[in-house]
Structures are given as structure tokens and as C-alpha cells.
Amino acid sequence: MSVRVRFAPSPTGFLHVGGLRTALYNYLFARHHKGTYVLRIEDTDRTRLVENAVENLIKSLKWAGIDYDEGPGKGGDYAPYIQSERLSIYKEYADILHKKGAAYYAFDTTEEIDEMRKRNPGESFTKYDRTSMKNEYTLGEEESKKMVDSGTSYVLRLKVPDSTTVVFDDLIRGKVEVSTNEIDDQVLMKSDGFPTYHLANVVDDHLMKITHVIRGEEWLPSTPKHVLLYHAFGWEKPLFAHLPLLLNPDKSKLSKRQGSVAVEDFASEGYFSDAIVNFVALLGWNPSSDREIYTIDELIESFDIEKVNKGGAVFDRAKLEWMNFQYLKLMPANELADILTPILEAKGITGFQTEYLEKVINLFRERIKFVKEIPEIAGYMFSSPQDFEQEYLEKHWKGNTVEILEPLLDKYKATGDFSHSALYELTKSYIEGLGKKLKEIIHPIRLMLTGKSAGAGMFETMEVLGKDECIKRIEEFIKIKETGKI
RNA sequence: GGCCCCAUAGACUAAUGGUUAGGUCAUCAGCCUUUCACGCUGACAGUAGCGGUUCGAAUCCGCUUGGGGUCACCA
């Protein structure tokens, strides 16, 4: 039988990185087994509708390079893939459950339920009390039918059998057992006619012929309810695999507060999708070799759901940055220039050729983790420096600096070769001819051209800046220095 | 609190009964050097604890401790 998996997020407005990892593992599993990947939207909570949430979700998945075979916008044999468009299906299956006696109507108000829970405050676990509340059993079948027909608000609850044990196998965790005494008579159909997650999820997974349910660990406690539902319907259940959680540094479930958590935020912060995918893939699993960087095809090739770890994994942003840097180092300059251009434009820097941007990128790519850092640390590549580091100036600008500089400036003016190697030779032989060391002149030059103590190689920087610009900056600096303004 | 899940260095992980417990991030040091980085080399640092099974345990079992998740007409 061919593998069919699904990623079934609820449209909360954005894709959480934890969701991305779940989506990714499903994707890797599907592709590894040459199976089918389904995207299904679980929007059965109409109180939490968020505008454009589905579009955003799909956009983020697409950004990450995770494409699905069936789902919203694509269709498929089991459409629709948005649960709010499948209401009549759930109603139909809810009725089947009711007819089988596996579920029953209940008429309690929210207040009555609250009160029931308050009744035994010392109790460790408050289960819906089928024998004392307002439902089909206490009211009688006839009365209850009358109420339903007359339009009284009601829900459908799962009749959980007493004192039996639900057992299922988890691909990652092995055998899991839970006593039904610990399982509540879960609401399956809400009073607004929408199904709860539990019903919709089971019905859809069955109807869509899902073979493996791969989802976050937070679903583990409700899986027994789902197993009960499969059993009640007389359906074969899929295989389950509950993924370990992604954690904050304090080990709690990954959330905002301690940094971005939305995939779109990582994108706008300048992370590369390949880096995020690579990083997230290795949180909870790895191909067991001594390597960190993998292409998506390599991940697909070696993915093994049974080798996924059981314990939660802290989302370490420092390592993510390092990962991003690994990709930045290797990325073609023209692609990075395409990223740089709008960043510069946003700062009002325009009019530079792509070729020039590529040179700047190559100068700085090993000194940054994000492209957006370039205008921050190397603004002088786009206009003359306005500020000069005071401490750097005081340390390297001596009384005789101008004296030493002027003949060198003439040599720069005279040379036809402004390549970094030629500049190096020229500068070196000149300064050594004076019995001085190269570094004695390099720092003043760096100061005049960049205003900063830190930067790329001096002669490489000069080559990219170009002869005219370098000469202009040096002359300007000397002039201003003479006025005493610096 | 009940139930469920989990436990290799600060973090991510490898090792599925036999290794000096390996790799990566972070941290620290040295080298390189033209500043800052990169890179290279090295260092620090781990099987939560206690029992048991076994010739042999990070690995299997039990208990303890610790952490997390979950207990809605939310998913």
C-alpha cells in the first residue's frame, strides 16, 4: 500500500517553526517512500478565524520549498481539503456514531459544565458525568429526540467505555497504554454544528486514506480518543508517530517571547530557507553521520521516522545563525546581490551596478551572518564615510602621517593598475623604502577610506572602491583634517 | 494534582550489550594576519541518581529524581 501522509495545521495566521518541522518530517517521509503528501486545513473553530491565514500558511510552506500533492489550491481525489467545507460529511459520520450507540446527545450549558467541574475540587481528574448531567441517558431517548427536533442546543459526545485499556503503537515511542477511566466523554459535534478536532481529524484521515499520522507530541494525550473513534467506526487506524517538541531555552514548549517563531519572521530577518529547513530537520533527528549541512534531497534519501528522537529539542538560535552563515558563504554572489538590492533601496541607496554589489558581497560575506548587515557595517562602500572612529584615529594618525602619505598618494594617482595585488606591492615597497612597516600606513589609509577600524582586507577594499574614489577620499580627509574639524 | 511522554557536556546529536563515549554550535586559548572576520589547531565539558540482569550496561529492567506535554463546545 502506498504511503499517504498529511500536514494538518489550523490556520492561526502564520506558520510556526514547530509546524514547519512537522510539515517537513511529513514531507521527508512522503518523498522518501515515494508517497503522497496532503495539506489539510483544520479550521473547525470558527471563533478563531484569521483573515488570509490559509494563504499565509501556503506561502510559508512554499518559501520553505515544501510542496504538497493534494490540498487547497491544488485539489485531489479527496477534496475539499478545508474542513469548514466538509461539514455535511462530519454530520453524516456523527449520525452513524450516534446510531451505533457510540456517541450521545448532551444538552448542558457551559455554566452547568463549569459547575460540574467545580463540584469536586479535590478530584484529580474531572470527567463529564454521564449519569447526572443533562443528556440522552438521563433524559431518555424520546425526550432527547424531542429536544433535538425542537431546536434545543446540543452537542454530541463520545461514549467512552468504562475501565478498559486503549493501546496503540507509536512509531517513535513504541507501545502506549491508557485506561479509558482517564478519558473524558469528548465532545465530537459542537452546538454550532461544527465538529471538534477529534471527530474531523479521524473522519478525514480515514476518508483521505492517510496511512501515517505524523504530528507533534502535544497530540499524544488525545490519541486514545482517536483510537476509540476508529474502533467505534470499525475502521483500521493509521500508524501514529508523535514528534518531540521544539523547546525554548528554558525547555518549555517553543513560543514567542523568546524570539521569533513564525516562519515568515525568519524569512524577513534574512534567514535563507535552505538554512532553516536544514536546521529544523536536524532538531530531533539526524542521518547519523558527522555532518551538519545537507541538501533537501539528501534529507529525503536518509529520512527514517523510527530514528526520530523521543526527547524535546531546544531551538538554539546561535546554531541557526551559524547554519545561515554556512549557506551565505556558499551562495552565488548574484543571488546575494538580488537580496541586497532591495535592502539598500530601503535605506535610500540606489544606482549601483549589480557587478559592484557582487564585489562588495564577496568582500564581506565571511564577515556577516545576514545580507542585511552589509549597509550596517559597510555603508562606506556606497558613500564617503562621515564618521571616523575616534579611538582608531588617535591611535594611528600621527604627526607625520600626512608627510608620509603624500608621495604615496602620488604613486596611487600615477598607477594604471589598481588591483589589490598591485596596490599591495606598491604600498609595501614604498613604506619599506622608508624603513617602516606596512601596518604603519595601512591603518591611516583604512581610517581615511572607511572611518572604521574593522573591515575587509585593505587593498581588496581599495580595488573595489576604485582608484578615483580612493584618491578622492584621501584628499578630502587630509583637507578636513587640516581644518581641524576631525 | 491525575494521566501520558521524556532524560548522553550550556545547546543539537552519534554510538541500538564490548569505542580512550564520536561530531557540531556556544565558550576559552593558540596559530594565521593588515584591522575585523574566515580558516586551522587545541582546550573545557556528558551517559541525572540508586539498585538489578549480564562475563560485560549510555544501551535491557525497576525505583527515585528532574523536565515536558495534556487534562475545553481550541486545534
Side-chain angles (χ1 to χ4, degrees), chain A residues 14 26 80 84 103 120 145-146 178 199 216 240 266 300 309 332 404 446:
Chain A
F14 62 90
N26 272 286
S84 59
N120 300 311
K145 188 176 185 310
K146 225 184 282 172
V178 180
L199 207 226
F240 294 101
F266 285 101
I300 289 169
N309 288 163
I404 297 169
R446 179 179 297 286

Side-chain angles (χ1 to χ4, degrees), chain A residues 351-368:
Chain A
F352 290 92
Q353 301 290 314
T354 302
E355 202 185 4
Y356 180 76
L357 298 184
E358 287 178 12
K359 285 180 187 166
V360 172
I361 281 161
N362 287 332
L363 221 41
F364 289 95
R365 70 194 313 161
E366 287 187 344
R367 275 163 255 261
I368 56 174

Side-chain angles (χ1 to χ4, degrees), chain A residues 24-236:
Chain A
L24 179 64
Y25 280 18
N26 272 286
Y27 175 77
L28 296 177
F29 185 79
R31 292 290 175 264
H32 179 88
H33 292 284
K34 310 244 182 301
T36 305
Y37 187 43
V38 177
L39 175 65
R40 187 175 70 221
I41 304 299
E42 313 232 326
D43 60 344
T44 53
D45 184 359
R46 80 210 188 304
T47 65
R48 286 208 201 173
L49 284 185
V50 176
E51 199 137 348
N52 296 325
V54 176
E55 289 75 9
N56 275 335
L57 211 50
I58 292 174
K59 206 172 100 190
S60 288
L61 285 173
K62 194 174 176 188
W63 176 80
I66 299 174
D67 59 313
Y68 50 94
D69 306 307
E70 300 173 17
K74 287 207 170 176
D77 293 346
Y78 306 91
Y81 293 91
I82 296 179
Q83 291 187 327
S84 59
E85 296 171 13
R86 299 170 63 81
L87 261 29
S88 61
I89 297 172
Y90 308 124
K91 177 80 176 82
E92 179 188 333
Y93 284 93
D95 288 345
I96 290 174
L97 235 33
H98 183 246
K99 232 167 261 155
K100 286 183 169 212
Y104 60 93
Y105 297 129
F107 306 91
D108 318 276
T109 63
T110 314
E111 294 71 37
E112 287 165 337
I113 295 285
D114 285 347
E115 210 161 293
M116 176 200 81
R117 293 208 174 97
K118 268 184 244 158
R119 237 182 276 160
N120 300 311
E123 201 82 332
S124 52
F125 169 73
T126 49
K127 197 167 160 162
Y128 177 78
D129 187 355
R130 209 185 295 152
T131 61
S132 73
M133 300 301 284
K134 242 191 271 173
N135 57 52
E136 216 173 328
Y137 300 109
T138 53
L139 264 32
E141 235 171 89
E142 223 161 284
E143 172 67 14
S144 135
K145 188 176 185 310
K146 225 184 282 172
M147 288 174 77
V148 170
D149 290 344
S150 70
T152 308
S153 180
Y154 70 94
V155 300
L156 184 73
R157 283 182 181 271
L158 176 66
K159 185 184 180 190
V160 175
D162 291 332
S163 305
T164 59
T165 303
V166 177
V167 184
F168 63 94
D169 262 301
D170 187 281
L171 258 21
I172 295 170
R173 289 151 212 284
K175 195 196 227 180
V176 179
E177 296 184 41
V178 180
S179 163
T180 53
N181 294 340
E182 301 294 334
I183 305 172
D184 200 5
D185 277 7
Q186 188 64 51
V187 169
L188 301 175
M189 289 295 281
K190 300 181 247 184
S191 55
D192 64 0
F194 277 66
T196 57
Y197 168 84
H198 307 284
L199 207 226
N201 175 271
V202 165
V203 167
D204 284 346
D205 283 342
H206 173 74
L207 260 24
M208 294 179 182
K209 297 194 163 54
I210 298 303
T211 56
H212 300 258
V213 170
I214 302 171
R215 72 213 325 181
E217 189 186 346
E218 67 266 32
W219 295 110
L220 200 49
S222 53
T223 303
K225 293 170 190 169
H226 305 163
V227 171
L228 249 20
L229 278 170
Y230 282 105
H231 189 74
F233 278 120
W235 295 337
E236 192 185 334

Side-chain angles (χ1 to χ4, degrees), chain A residues 442 445-447 449-450 456-463 465:
Chain A
I442 273 189
I445 293 175
R446 179 179 297 286
L447 175 74
L449 296 179
T450 76
M458 198 59 247
F459 301 114
E460 285 80 359
T461 304
M462 288 173 76
E463 178 184 325
L465 242 21

Side-chain angles (χ1 to χ4, degrees), chain A residues 387-396 447 451 485-486:
Chain A
D387 301 313
F388 298 87
E389 279 181 30
Q390 194 58 31
E391 198 181 326
Y392 191 51
L393 185 145
E394 280 165 14
K395 188 171 175 192
H396 295 287
L447 175 74
K485 282 183 185 161
I486 297 175

